[in-house]
Amino acid sequence: MTTATPELREAETVRLVDHLAGELARAGVTHVFGVGGANIEDLYDAVHRAGAVRGVVAKHEFSAVTMADGYARTTGRLGVVAATSGGGAMNLVPGLAEAYASRVPVLALVGQPPTGQEGRGAFQDSSGKAGSFDAREVFAPVTRFCARVDAPDALAELLPRAIAAAQSDPRGPAVLLLPKDVQQARIRVPARDAAPASGGPATASAVRLDAAAVGAVSDALRGADRVLVIAGEDVAAADARAELAQLAGRLGAWVAVTPDAKDVFDNRDPRFAGVAGVMGHANVEDCLRRADLCLLVGTRLPLLARGGLERALAASDVVCLGPEPPFVAGTALGGNLRDALRAVTARLPSHPRPCPPHAGPLPTPLPGPLLQARERTVPHAQAVAAVEAALPQDAHVFVDAGNAGASAVHLLPAPRHGRFVVAVGMGGMGYTFGAGIGAALATGRRTYVLAGDGSFLMHGMEVHTAVQYDAPVTFVIFNNNAHAMCAMREEFLQGGVRSDDLFAPTDLAAGVAAAFPSLPATGTADADHLRTALLRSNARGGPAFVAVACDPREIPPFLPFQSFTEATENKESSDERGVVHVG
């Protein structure tokens, strides 16, 4: 095979898919996630035969993409997904859209019918010929690069371009469309020296920082007595946590994080101000109002991260470090984030400063449920506290969309040595099931998936994949038998809760236990029992499943709902109370 054979003679030929599998291994890829099919089976055969890359078969292509996404977010390496043509290819789109919006480097290898059948009524034809749609036009809006490999010799040019596009700022997905006959073709592999595998986070080509911008940002920071840093996901993507901490120390700054970046700064550090935005802490707004300057690091500050802070931001001087310009007005220093942090820090006084006193990330006092709480349910705060008590500090945490997710973002400290991932790019329900599996298989660490029952009912059968591959994932399902966030929007915005989003009771743990006899599955309505079940999951090697009963009427720490509640209680208008709208 071509995985480690620099001595290959130029005349030697191999199947294109064998060469492709070898090139993935040379690029540092260790897993390929996907779902098989006739027009991608040759690639799976090559991966299996070579053995250097592990093939992982998911239950759905969306989850296969999120597995590659979770793999990339936890390792810093390129995530790879492979799928067949037709419906399999189309199922990739929502997962690629999340990776695009969240700047996650993913390569999708998508099978296509043989070139000789294009435009001739081929099954699953998406060549754009003879009235078929063109797959390139479908994938182009959610990728950084998309190309059809029409001839075997084209792969030598297109594969490096696709990988480079995925890993260069702005990062995101790349797609290569691979007709079946092209996959099977034999190609000559030129002799070359072995290249070292990429083992760490991908970085864009070095771009010289703008000296004037470095000077302007440094001058602004030196002139500020009180600075609030709001750090985002790009800090994790650039592996720049140490540089962020050093800059914060030199500035004597408070540090807040965006909802998708809880792990980029130690949540137990005295400087930690909390989470910014609609799932965040009131202390962040207080620090922002007291600050002379707000420094954005690795975030463009989208609406979820700035909701409730707009007025304070409008009255603040804002400086931004990151590869893309922010969504708020301010002075920006672009380029590689780690380089920018180092350049600015080098111009500051070398001794660390203490940060001014602040309240810290105190949980927001919440109103009671819309109606009397149901018996035999666990409040979100107690459930999250049980997770915190059991969570290993080197674990990864993946938080899904919904009321339970908002509670986890607000209340659960990030593990000190693991990722805390929230997919807010598209916010698709069910993302975490695949992503958590991809992370666990890539790193071998215990990974917690925190999701509601609505998310489970969408993509929770990936539990099967976790069982199949003995992935160390603990699935924690907050079961309120509802799409509760939708139900609350109906209550606050549409005059009452409809029955559409309230479900008949489901015993998820019993169902999962019956389907997967080897999987420890626990149902509970008690916080202590929840903690015990989670601790047991940590002690075993493979997956575990815990469903905790929750109340759909419990109001989560989500600013739009809180502001509606306050406006109703105070009988004041939206304008008077500053009601926050998201969606």
Side-chain angles (χ1 to χ4, degrees):
M1 298 300 103
T2 61
T3 54
T5 54
E7 64 278 5
L8 275 176
R9 297 179 299 276
E10 186 166 350
E12 184 175 350
T13 64
V14 297
R15 289 186 305 171
L16 180 140
V17 287
D18 293 317
H19 174 64
L20 176 54
E23 290 301 290
L24 294 178
R26 283 170 55 84
V29 174
T30 59
H31 294 71
V32 171
F33 305 94
V35 180
N39 286 327
I40 200 66
E41 63 190 1
D42 297 287
L43 176 59
Y44 278 100
D45 176 67
V47 168
H48 174 74
R49 287 173 182 272
V53 177
R54 185 182 189 188
V56 176
V57 176
K59 306 290 106 49
H60 191 280
E61 291 84 1
F62 169 78
S63 292
V65 181
T66 66
M67 288 178 193
D69 178 304
Y71 171 102
R73 294 198 205 215
T74 51
T75 66
R77 295 193 294 264
L78 179 71
V80 179
V81 60
T84 193
S85 51
M90 296 302 98
N91 285 340
L92 297 173
V93 171
L96 294 177
E98 169 59 41
Y100 182 93
S102 292
R103 310 307 193 241
V104 181
V106 170
L107 173 64
L109 303 170
V110 184
Q112 296 285 279
T115 54
Q117 297 179 11
E118 293 174 354
R120 296 173 177 268
F123 180 58
Q124 299 181 332
D125 189 0
S126 58
S127 65
K129 298 176 181 179
S132 65
F133 72 88
D134 191 336
R136 288 172 295 190
E137 295 180 0
V138 174
F139 289 118
V142 293
T143 59
R144 304 297 174 190
F145 180 87
C146 179
R148 188 185 301 273
V149 185
D150 289 317
D153 291 344
L155 184 71
E157 174 197 353
L158 293 176
L159 179 61
R161 288 178 60 189
I163 293 175
Q167 295 182 315
S168 299
D169 288 325
R171 293 174 297 275
V175 169
L176 289 179
L177 302 169
L178 300 166
K180 185 175 180 69
D181 57 319
V182 172
Q183 295 179 54
Q184 294 174 328
R186 298 195 71 84
I187 62 173
R188 291 188 175 184
V189 181
R192 49 176 161 76
D193 293 332
S198 172
T203 56
S205 300
V207 177
R208 185 180 297 276
L209 298 174
D210 183 282
V214 171
V217 168
S218 302
D219 290 344
L221 292 173
R222 280 198 302 267
D225 288 330
R226 293 185 176 185
V227 176
L228 171 66
V229 173
I230 302 180
E233 166 66 12
D234 273 340
V235 175
D239 194 23
R241 292 177 179 84
E243 287 79 5
L244 170 65
Q246 185 178 30
L247 176 63
R250 297 275 187 95
L251 292 171
W254 302 297
V255 180
V257 295
T258 58
D260 58 339
K262 280 201 79 170
D263 59 14
V264 303
F265 191 82
D266 187 352
N267 293 186
R268 299 158 185 83
D269 190 289
R271 301 179 187 280
F272 184 62
V275 177
V278 298
M279 292 172 270
H281 301 94
N283 181 56
V284 175
E285 181 180 4
D286 180 62
C287 290
L288 179 57
R289 293 188 182 281
R290 294 167 58 195
D292 302 311
L293 183 145
C294 178
L295 173 63
L296 308 181
V297 178
T299 177
R300 304 178 72 189
L301 212 64
L303 181 59
L304 287 180
R306 72 174 188 272
L309 301 177
E310 286 94 339
R311 293 182 182 178
L313 283 165
S316 303
D317 291 330
V318 177
V319 170
C320 178
L321 306 183
E324 297 183 81
F327 294 117
V328 297
T331 301
L333 171 59
N336 180 274
L337 181 59
R338 184 192 277 182
D339 292 344
L341 285 166
R342 290 173 174 173
V344 170
T345 302
R347 293 183 173 223
L348 298 176
S350 59
H351 56 281
R353 296 166 47 194
C355 71
H358 64 117
L362 299 176
T364 299
L366 297 174
L370 295 178
L371 300 172
Q372 184 176 357
R374 292 178 178 173
E375 296 182 1
R376 301 292 296 166
T377 59
V378 180
H380 286 165
Q382 292 182 20
V384 172
V387 173
E388 180 182 359
L391 185 67
Q393 286 305 299
D394 63 348
H396 302 302
V397 178
F398 284 78
V399 178
D400 220 299
N403 286 358
S407 296
V409 170
H410 189 77
L411 297 170
L412 181 62
R416 282 191 171 94
H417 308 296
R419 292 298 328 265
F420 190 108
V421 176
V422 187
V424 298
M426 289 288 103
M429 294 173 65
Y431 160 89
T432 57
F433 293 93
I437 292 169
L441 292 176
T443 66
R445 296 190 195 178
R446 174 60 51 182
T447 299
Y448 272 52
V449 165
L450 308 182
D453 56 306
S455 295
F456 173 81
L457 294 172
M458 289 189 180
H459 290 286
M461 280 300 99
E462 292 301 334
V463 168
H464 182 285
T465 308
V467 173
Q468 184 77 16
Y469 293 95
D470 201 32
V473 182
T474 299
F475 299 96
V476 185
I477 310 303
F478 294 71
N479 184 14
N480 54 27
N481 293 297
H483 281 160
M485 186 166 279
C486 296
M488 287 194 173
R489 290 183 63 84
E490 294 158 12
E491 174 71 20
F492 289 126
L493 295 172
Q494 298 179 334
V497 176
R498 302 189 301 270
S499 61
D500 313 43
D501 290 309
L502 301 177
F503 307 150
T506 304
D507 190 339
L508 297 179
V512 166
F516 308 108
S518 66
L519 175 67
T522 304
T524 184
D526 178 82
D528 289 336
H529 187 203
L530 171 61
R531 175 179 174 274
T532 300
L534 297 177
L535 289 171
R536 282 201 302 264
S537 81
N538 296 342
R540 68 186 312 274
F545 184 94
V546 183
V548 55
C550 297
D551 194 318
R553 298 161 295 190
E554 181 179 353
I555 298 175
F558 187 59
L559 189 56
F561 295 162
Q562 297 166 38
S563 58
F564 277 119
T565 303
E566 292 168 3
T568 300
E569 291 175 350
N570 289 278
K571 302 184 185 303
E572 296 175 356
S573 71
S574 296
D575 289 338
E576 290 171 329
R577 292 296 300 166
V579 169
V580 176
H581 293 272
V582 175

